[in-house]
Amino acid sequence: MSKSLPNLRLNSPITSKVIGQNVAKVRKERKVSQLSLSLDMGYKSVSVVSFAEISLKGAHFNIAHLLQISTILNVPLIEQLSN
């Protein structure tokens, strides 16, 4: 049986927070620092990753970020989008 995508509103603050928490959890499990992930994503500081992981100042990961993170951390996109 194939997994279907959850019915999510990606611009919802709660959803953005959950996605950020999911990314942080997987990143920590893989022993990847925020700086390392940021650099691999093409950023020179941790701001994008650190702010989005905790939804600071409304920051969130967009779909392009999530696709990059999926590749970098070798995790299916669906895992980042589920509760």
Side-chain angles (χ1 to χ4, degrees):
M1 178 181 241
S2 67
K3 287 185 178 179
S4 61
L5 288 175
N7 184 15
L8 299 173
R9 289 180 42 224
L10 292 181
N11 61 349
S12 161
I14 291 175
T15 301
S16 295
K17 186 173 182 176
V18 170
I19 290 171
Q21 291 169 343
N22 290 347
V23 169
K25 179 181 174 215
V26 171
R27 178 183 59 73
K28 290 173 186 176
E29 287 172 354
R30 303 281 195 282
K31 296 182 175 30
V32 175
S33 69
Q34 288 178 331
L35 179 58
S36 179
L37 180 57
S38 295
L39 292 173
D40 287 347
M41 293 173 69
Y43 297 101
K44 295 182 180 183
S45 75
V46 299
S47 298
V48 170
V49 172
S50 64
F51 281 28
E53 282 186 353
I54 60 172
S55 298
L56 185 66
K57 298 182 182 180
H60 62 277
F61 293 112
N62 64 33
I63 193 67
H65 292 146
L66 295 173
L67 290 170
Q68 281 183 299
I69 292 166
S70 290
T71 301
I72 294 164
L73 298 179
N74 192 28
V75 60
L77 181 61
I78 190 70
E79 283 187 31
Q80 298 175 66
L81 300 176
S82 52
N83 286 331

